PDB file of all heavy atoms in Angstrom:
ATOM      1  N   ILE B  10      -8.963   9.880 284.529  1.00 71.00           N
ATOM      2  CA  ILE B  10      -9.475   9.761 285.830  1.00 71.00           C
ATOM      3  C   ILE B  10     -10.407   8.482 285.881  1.00 71.00           C
ATOM      4  O   ILE B  10     -10.255   7.482 286.712  1.00 71.00           O
ATOM      5  CB  ILE B  10     -10.229  10.900 286.540  1.00 71.00           C
ATOM      6  CG1 ILE B  10      -9.239  12.036 286.680  1.00 71.00           C
ATOM      7  CG2 ILE B  10     -10.894  10.464 287.818  1.00 71.00           C
ATOM      8  CD1 ILE B  10      -9.887  13.358 287.258  1.00 71.00           C
ATOM      9  N   SER B  11     -11.377   8.352 284.954  1.00 67.00           N
ATOM     10  CA  SER B  11     -12.298   7.255 284.938  1.00 67.00           C
ATOM     11  C   SER B  11     -11.543   5.996 284.689  1.00 67.00           C
ATOM     12  O   SER B  11     -11.775   4.999 285.107  1.00 67.00           O
ATOM     13  CB  SER B  11     -13.373   7.308 283.784  1.00 67.00           C
ATOM     14  OG  SER B  11     -13.562   8.740 283.522  1.00 67.00           O
ATOM     15  N   LEU B  12     -10.502   6.039 283.785  1.00 71.00           N
ATOM     16  CA  LEU B  12      -9.732   4.815 283.378  1.00 71.00           C
ATOM     17  C   LEU B  12      -8.907   4.320 284.666  1.00 71.00           C
ATOM     18  O   LEU B  12      -8.897   3.148 284.886  1.00 71.00           O
ATOM     19  CB  LEU B  12      -8.835   5.148 282.152  1.00 71.00           C
ATOM     20  CG  LEU B  12      -8.015   4.075 281.762  1.00 71.00           C
ATOM     21  CD1 LEU B  12      -9.014   2.994 280.998  1.00 71.00           C
ATOM     22  CD2 LEU B  12      -6.952   4.452 280.602  1.00 71.00           C
ATOM     23  N   TRP B  13      -8.436   5.273 285.306  1.00 77.00           N
ATOM     24  CA  TRP B  13      -7.439   4.878 286.316  1.00 77.00           C
ATOM     25  C   TRP B  13      -8.037   4.639 287.785  1.00 77.00           C
ATOM     26  O   TRP B  13      -7.316   4.104 288.604  1.00 77.00           O
ATOM     27  CB  TRP B  13      -6.290   5.967 286.416  1.00 77.00           C
ATOM     28  CG  TRP B  13      -5.107   5.603 285.453  1.00 77.00           C
ATOM     29  CD1 TRP B  13      -5.137   6.104 284.124  1.00 77.00           C
ATOM     30  CD2 TRP B  13      -4.095   4.691 285.563  1.00 77.00           C
ATOM     31  NE1 TRP B  13      -4.019   5.547 283.524  1.00 77.00           N
ATOM     32  CE2 TRP B  13      -3.308   4.651 284.406  1.00 77.00           C
ATOM     33  CE3 TRP B  13      -3.734   3.781 286.678  1.00 77.00           C
ATOM     34  CZ2 TRP B  13      -2.289   3.882 284.237  1.00 77.00           C
ATOM     35  CZ3 TRP B  13      -2.587   3.143 286.522  1.00 77.00           C
ATOM     36  CH2 TRP B  13      -1.914   3.114 285.265  1.00 77.00           C
ATOM     37  N   ALA B  14      -9.153   5.149 287.956  1.00 72.00           N
ATOM     38  CA  ALA B  14      -9.755   5.163 289.327  1.00 72.00           C
ATOM     39  C   ALA B  14      -9.706   3.810 289.959  1.00 72.00           C
ATOM     40  O   ALA B  14      -8.993   3.673 291.043  1.00 72.00           O
ATOM     41  CB  ALA B  14     -11.140   5.707 289.344  1.00 72.00           C
ATOM     42  N   LEU B  15     -10.201   2.715 289.340  1.00 75.00           N
ATOM     43  CA  LEU B  15     -10.209   1.477 289.948  1.00 75.00           C
ATOM     44  C   LEU B  15      -8.854   0.877 289.987  1.00 75.00           C
ATOM     45  O   LEU B  15      -8.556   0.376 291.095  1.00 75.00           O
ATOM     46  CB  LEU B  15     -11.188   0.537 289.098  1.00 75.00           C
ATOM     47  CG  LEU B  15     -12.602   0.410 289.462  1.00 75.00           C
ATOM     48  CD1 LEU B  15     -13.364  -0.530 288.766  1.00 75.00           C
ATOM     49  CD2 LEU B  15     -12.576   0.046 291.057  1.00 75.00           C
ATOM     50  N   PRO B  16      -8.084   0.753 288.851  1.00 84.00           N
ATOM     51  CA  PRO B  16      -6.735   0.175 288.981  1.00 84.00           C
ATOM     52  C   PRO B  16      -5.929   0.849 290.093  1.00 84.00           C
ATOM     53  O   PRO B  16      -5.241   0.120 290.833  1.00 84.00           O
ATOM     54  CB  PRO B  16      -6.171   0.529 287.674  1.00 84.00           C
ATOM     55  CG  PRO B  16      -7.407   0.587 286.750  1.00 84.00           C
ATOM     56  CD  PRO B  16      -8.352   1.147 287.494  1.00 84.00           C
ATOM     57  N   PHE B  17      -6.017   2.163 290.091  1.00 86.00           N
ATOM     58  CA  PHE B  17      -5.228   2.911 291.172  1.00 86.00           C
ATOM     59  C   PHE B  17      -5.557   2.551 292.539  1.00 86.00           C
ATOM     60  O   PHE B  17      -4.703   2.327 293.378  1.00 86.00           O
ATOM     61  CB  PHE B  17      -5.538   4.459 290.915  1.00 86.00           C
ATOM     62  CG  PHE B  17      -4.649   5.302 291.930  1.00 86.00           C
ATOM     63  CD1 PHE B  17      -3.325   5.484 291.762  1.00 86.00           C
ATOM     64  CD2 PHE B  17      -5.371   5.922 293.032  1.00 86.00           C
ATOM     65  CE1 PHE B  17      -2.567   6.180 292.688  1.00 86.00           C
ATOM     66  CE2 PHE B  17      -4.635   6.605 293.963  1.00 86.00           C
ATOM     67  CZ  PHE B  17      -3.311   6.878 293.813  1.00 86.00           C
ATOM     68  N   ILE B  18      -6.821   2.401 292.801  1.00 82.00           N
ATOM     69  CA  ILE B  18      -7.325   2.067 294.177  1.00 82.00           C
ATOM     70  C   ILE B  18      -6.772   0.658 294.612  1.00 82.00           C
ATOM     71  O   ILE B  18      -6.212   0.512 295.738  1.00 82.00           O
ATOM     72  CB  ILE B  18      -8.792   2.142 294.391  1.00 82.00           C
ATOM     73  CG1 ILE B  18      -9.286   3.474 294.278  1.00 82.00           C
ATOM     74  CG2 ILE B  18      -9.364   1.349 295.592  1.00 82.00           C
ATOM     75  CD1 ILE B  18     -10.688   3.726 294.082  1.00 82.00           C
ATOM     76  N   ILE B  19      -6.925  -0.329 293.748  1.00 87.00           N
ATOM     77  CA  ILE B  19      -6.526  -1.709 293.854  1.00 87.00           C
ATOM     78  C   ILE B  19      -5.001  -1.666 294.130  1.00 87.00           C
ATOM     79  O   ILE B  19      -4.537  -2.352 295.028  1.00 87.00           O
ATOM     80  CB  ILE B  19      -6.983  -2.649 292.785  1.00 87.00           C
ATOM     81  CG1 ILE B  19      -8.473  -2.692 292.689  1.00 87.00           C
ATOM     82  CG2 ILE B  19      -6.326  -4.027 292.956  1.00 87.00           C
ATOM     83  CD1 ILE B  19      -8.947  -3.448 291.591  1.00 87.00           C
ATOM     84  N   LEU B  20      -4.333  -0.972 293.278  1.00 92.00           N
ATOM     85  CA  LEU B  20      -2.829  -0.984 293.376  1.00 92.00           C
ATOM     86  C   LEU B  20      -2.465  -0.307 294.689  1.00 92.00           C
ATOM     87  O   LEU B  20      -1.566  -1.020 295.315  1.00 92.00           O
ATOM     88  CB  LEU B  20      -2.352  -0.021 292.208  1.00 92.00           C
ATOM     89  CG  LEU B  20      -0.813  -0.216 291.838  1.00 92.00           C
ATOM     90  CD1 LEU B  20      -0.627  -1.460 291.267  1.00 92.00           C
ATOM     91  CD2 LEU B  20      -0.327   0.920 290.812  1.00 92.00           C
ATOM     92  N   THR B  21      -2.969   0.641 295.189  1.00 90.00           N
ATOM     93  CA  THR B  21      -2.704   1.446 296.333  1.00 90.00           C
ATOM     94  C   THR B  21      -2.900   0.526 297.586  1.00 90.00           C
ATOM     95  O   THR B  21      -2.047   0.206 298.421  1.00 90.00           O
ATOM     96  CB  THR B  21      -3.565   2.711 296.602  1.00 90.00           C
ATOM     97  OG1 THR B  21      -3.462   3.500 295.363  1.00 90.00           O
ATOM     98  CG2 THR B  21      -2.899   3.559 297.672  1.00 90.00           C
TER      99      THR B  21
END
Side-chain angles (χ1 to χ4, degrees):
Chain B
I10 294 175
S11 333
L12 182 68
W13 273 94
L15 265 183
F17 178 76
I18 291 171
I19 296 175
L20 199 69
T21 314

